[in-house]
Every structure is written in structure tokens, then in C-alpha cells.
Amino acid sequence: MDEVDGMSGNEDRGGLQELVQLVKNSRIPIICMCNDRSNPKMRTLANYCFDLRFYRPRVEQIKGAMMSLAFKEGLKIPPPAMNEIISAANQDIRQVIHHLSMWSASDKAMTYDQAKSDAQQAKKDLKIGPFDVCRKVFAGGEETAHMTLNDKSDLFFHDYSIAPLFVQENYLGVTPFSARGNKKKHLQLISKTADSICDGDLVSQAIRSSQRWGLLPTQAFFSSVIPGEYMRGSLGHMVTFPSWLGKNSSRGKTDRQLQELRAHMKLKISADKNSINLEYLPHLRKSLTQPLIKLENDGIPEVIATIDQYDLLKNDIESILEITQWSGRKDPWSMVNSKVKAAFTRTYNKEVHMTPYSTVTMGKKTKKGAALGEDGEMGEEDGNQAVESEGESDGDVATDAMIKAKKPTAKGKAKDAGGKGKGQGKGKGGGKRK
């Protein structure tokens, strides 16, 4: 089964599950091949397979076979020229054979300069992922020894939106060759790399804010080329995914929660989001949890009074606890007895809590178009329209949503049907003939 990582879409829906069943029940070995082993769809299949990974062959491994093939075909080509052809094809054996076949059709002898020129013109364009880009930025040795500045800059443009984040996340894990074990020089290189990444971030901000996309090559040098030159060496661990993306998502969620809390409390306090976070929420955290922990059921009225005093909702307690929770500290809400939590919820729901803002969410529309909320309340505009049309529909009982018409029973329907039949009989033949 080739290209099993491409088994998706409506045409192949359920294909992986069927393949897993075949692997389970078959007595014949099934070889499943894929290009993207890290694809999430391969996790299920990998649990039922022996994971055998093949890596791209090195230039030295391909060179001997290609030189033997060229000798048998009568093609004279120097070994350095063969290295250029293999590197330009990105170690693709089939493409190397195609190039040798095409170039040897006219001339059976090739020089180094001719092979290098032809190889550069037929260079294979390859799209590599951000993990490989980051590894190549810091890689040293033969792999990057012959790369020009343009080649190093091109690594940034494979995905310029996320490549700087990978560099920033992994540069501390690189052991630079130029430091040679000197810790002081190692720290100096880390400092220079951090300064360059900061400059690249400033350029990125200028690009995004004023749409100056012509500065992308400048960002490529600050965010990728210069850090790679300073920290070129060996990466001591696997390339890790940027943690900034997850932190930024959490920051956005916290910002939305703070904005909502400020909107609820703005008539009681005069503070912005930062002041609420630093000055109000730590004290509110204690006021909303300590009475329930220490006094249990007797502390419920005090907590509800605090909520009403700041025009908060019950759901705001979760937001306050989530914002003020730090790693390594125990969540105080987990220390509250479950029975006390249930009693607090019941007591809060029984009481009426007046808030200076609307808490009604849009629900289903009635036949007249009035949107009802969770508590069955109508909006202000819809209520006014209903009042205006009340005089027009007073006499129409059938269309009044507040009056439930009584349905006739089955016995009444049968009686009405019998009465109609008798009346018709009298009308047709019930009279005396003259």
C-alpha cells in the first residue's frame, strides 16, 4: 500500500480503518509506505505496524553507483562533477540518471565546469518544512559549507511567517563550533544572536504595520542568516515547536476575560484591565473562595454579596480563578467541598441578581419574530413592537401565543361527526313525501 498518508477525503473515507482491519486479519505481510511519517493520520496505523524509517541517501552513497553506471555507458565524467549533479538533484537517484541520460546524448565526455553549469540550471526546487529549515540554519559541516548568503537567505523564505519563531525557540540548544567549549565565548554568541533576533522582530513589526514587504530580505538576515552564522554547530536535541504560539493564544484568552470583567465592573470601579488584573483580582480571589473554605455553607451569603456588589456573574468566578492561577500554586476552588459548591449554585440560582447590563442571549424566534432569551424574556425593541400590535390582535384568539386553545377530545370529534351525519340524513330523506 503506497502513499497511505494521502488516504483522506470523501473518496477514501474510512480507508485507514479498513486497512487496519486488513493488517489485523491478514496472514500475509502488508507493506505500508508514506512520505509524511509525522502526519496525525498515521498514528492509528503506526500502532499496528513495525515502524521502519528510510532516510535520504548521502552523496557518497549515490556517487559510487552513478560512477559505475557512467563507466558502463561510456560516459566520461570527473568525480567532482558527479558530486555537483547529485547535490543539485537533492540526492534524487532517478533525477540523476535522467540528467546523465540527457546530457550524454550529444557528448560522452563532460567537464567539471560544464557539469556544474548544467546542474545549476536543472537544480531541483524543493519545499522543506519548518523543522528541516531550522535544522539547516544551525547545521555545520559539509551540509552547509558551500551555501552562499543567498542560499542561506532562501531558507527563511520557505515559510517566513514561522521560521523566525523556530530559530528563536531552538538557538539556545545549539552548541556552536566557534565557541570551542569556552563558556564565556558561548554566552557572547548567545547575546549577539538574541540581539539579532530582536532586530529581526522590529523589522517584522515594521513590515506588518506599514505593509513594507520589501523589507523581508532584511528580516531574513536578522532572523535567520545572522543567528545561523553565530550559532552554527550541533543541535543537542530535536527541533522543538515554538511555544510562543501557545503562550500567545493564552494571552489572547486572558485579555478577552479581563475585558469582560472590566465591562461588568465598570460602574463600581475606575480601573483599566491591567489595574484590575494586578490590584483587584487577587483580593477578589480570596473574597470568593476563603468564606466557602473556612465557613462552608455559612459563607455562601458573603460570597453572593461580593458578587452582587461588583455586578459580577457566577461564570466570572471561573475567569477570576483562571487568570489569577499561577503554576505551582494550588487552586483554591479545588479546596471547596463539593456539597458546598452545589449548595452555592442552588442558592445563587434561587435569588434574583440585578445587573446594569443585559445578560440575555439571542435564542429561537417566535412566529412574530420576537427573539426569546434563556429566561423567556424578549428584547426591548421586540417588546415594544409586541405592545404596539397588541391592540390589533386582541380579537384574534387563534393567533395569540399567550392563549392555549383547548383541543377537542376523540369522543367529542366522534359526536360531532355523528350529528352531522344525522342532519344530512334528515335533509335528504327524512321529510314526508307528498
Side-chain angles (χ1 to χ4, degrees):
M1 295 293 297
D2 194 11
E3 303 289 351
V4 291
D5 54 334
M7 192 180 295
S8 61
N10 294 328
E11 296 83 1
D12 298 324
R13 189 177 298 278
L16 279 177
Q17 288 78 5
E18 186 65 26
L19 181 58
V20 168
Q21 293 299 323
L22 287 174
V23 172
K24 287 181 179 180
N25 301 325
S26 176
R27 296 184 179 180
I28 302 173
I30 299 177
I31 301 175
C32 302
M33 291 176 283
C34 69
N35 294 325
D36 189 5
R37 173 60 183 83
S38 60
N39 194 318
K41 294 182 292 186
M42 295 294 100
R43 294 176 183 172
T44 304
L45 182 61
N47 294 330
Y48 301 94
C49 298
F50 174 71
D51 194 359
L52 184 61
R53 304 193 182 193
F54 291 89
Y55 297 94
R56 187 183 305 277
R58 301 192 306 273
V59 176
E60 295 79 9
Q61 294 175 317
I62 305 174
K63 179 181 176 182
M66 294 299 103
M67 291 298 294
S68 176
L69 179 63
F71 176 77
K72 293 177 181 178
E73 295 293 331
L75 177 61
K76 296 181 180 180
I77 179 171
M82 182 63 74
N83 290 340
E84 294 292 334
I85 295 174
I86 296 173
S87 300
N90 198 35
Q91 286 93 356
D92 189 337
I93 300 176
R94 178 168 52 185
Q95 187 169 353
V96 172
I97 295 175
H98 287 169
H99 288 171
L100 292 176
S101 176
M102 179 179 63
W103 294 331
S104 63
S106 57
D107 192 1
K108 292 292 183 180
M110 292 184 66
T111 62
Y112 173 77
D113 294 334
Q114 181 184 357
K116 185 176 181 180
S117 175
D118 292 341
Q120 289 297 325
Q121 293 178 3
K123 191 173 182 179
K124 185 175 182 179
D125 295 328
L126 212 77
K127 181 69 176 178
I128 59 178
F131 290 90
D132 295 328
V133 167
C134 182
R135 184 190 58 79
K136 209 164 185 179
V137 165
F138 297 113
E142 187 66 24
E143 185 177 3
T144 57
H146 303 289
M147 290 180 66
T148 62
L149 282 178
N150 288 334
D151 295 334
K152 296 173 182 177
S153 177
D154 289 341
L155 293 174
F156 171 82
F157 288 99
H158 279 282
D159 192 348
Y160 60 83
S161 60
I162 200 172
L165 297 178
F166 271 88
V167 173
Q168 189 271 336
E169 184 73 22
N170 294 275
Y171 79 97
L172 291 176
V174 180
T175 303
F177 294 150
S178 58
R180 298 178 182 177
N182 190 340
K183 294 183 178 180
K184 182 179 179 180
K185 191 171 183 180
H186 190 180
L187 290 175
Q188 290 175 350
L189 292 174
I190 289 177
S191 176
K192 293 179 180 179
T193 304
D195 292 339
S196 178
I197 292 174
C198 292
D199 293 338
D201 192 35
L202 293 175
V203 176
S204 175
Q205 186 177 3
I207 293 172
R208 307 287 177 176
S209 60
S210 57
Q211 301 296 311
R212 300 169 64 183
W213 298 102
L215 293 175
L216 275 177
T218 305
Q219 185 191 0
F221 270 83
F222 281 124
S223 300
S224 179
V225 178
I226 295 177
E229 288 298 318
Y230 282 140
M231 301 297 293
R232 190 165 307 283
S234 59
L235 190 61
H237 55 79
M238 293 181 61
V239 178
T240 56
F241 192 79
S243 60
W244 179 88
L245 296 173
K247 299 294 183 182
N248 186 53
S249 177
S250 301
R251 184 199 62 81
K253 180 183 177 182
T254 303
D255 188 73
R256 290 192 300 270
Q257 290 175 332
L258 287 172
Q259 183 67 30
E260 185 177 357
L261 290 172
R262 181 180 178 276
H264 289 175
M265 297 190 295
K266 64 182 179 180
L267 295 182
K268 301 294 183 179
I269 63 175
S270 57
D272 57 0
K273 291 185 296 184
N274 293 330
S275 299
I276 291 175
N277 187 19
L278 297 176
E279 300 174 10
Y280 283 88
L281 295 190
H283 300 287
L284 282 175
R285 172 192 175 101
K286 295 180 181 179
S287 300
L288 295 175
T289 56
Q290 291 303 317
L292 298 179
I293 296 173
K294 295 179 180 180
L295 305 177
E296 295 189 348
N297 290 343
D298 295 335
I300 292 177
E302 182 180 348
V303 174
I304 293 179
T306 304
I307 293 175
D308 293 339
Q309 183 180 359
Y310 287 94
D311 296 330
L312 296 173
L313 299 176
K314 183 177 178 295
N315 295 335
D316 292 334
I317 298 178
E318 299 178 4
S319 300
I320 293 173
L321 294 175
E322 184 177 353
I323 293 172
T324 56
Q325 182 63 32
W326 295 88
S327 59
R329 294 179 58 185
K330 192 171 183 180
D331 185 8
W333 193 250
S334 63
M335 302 168 63
V336 180
N337 193 346
S338 58
K339 294 182 179 179
V340 178
K341 293 180 184 178
F344 168 71
T345 303
R346 288 194 301 268
T347 306
Y348 183 85
N349 292 335
K350 285 180 182 178
E351 299 179 1
V352 178
H353 306 277
M354 303 298 293
T355 56
Y357 49 86
S358 176
T359 59
V360 178
T361 56
M362 299 300 292
K364 295 182 179 179
K365 290 187 176 181
T366 61
K367 292 182 179 179
K368 292 185 178 181
L372 298 180
E374 293 179 352
D375 299 330
E377 298 177 358
M378 290 190 298
E380 184 179 353
E381 296 181 359
D382 295 330
N384 293 336
Q385 293 177 2
V387 172
E388 292 175 0
S389 60
E390 185 178 356
E392 300 176 2
S393 59
D394 282 344
D396 193 358
V397 179
T399 60
D400 195 344
M402 304 300 295
I403 299 177
K404 186 176 181 181
K406 187 176 181 181
K407 296 182 180 180
T409 60
K411 185 177 180 181
K413 288 183 179 180
K415 188 174 181 181
D416 293 343
K420 289 180 181 179
K422 290 180 181 179
Q424 290 177 355
K426 288 181 180 179
K428 289 182 179 180
K432 293 181 181 180
R433 292 183 180 180
K434 295 183 182 179

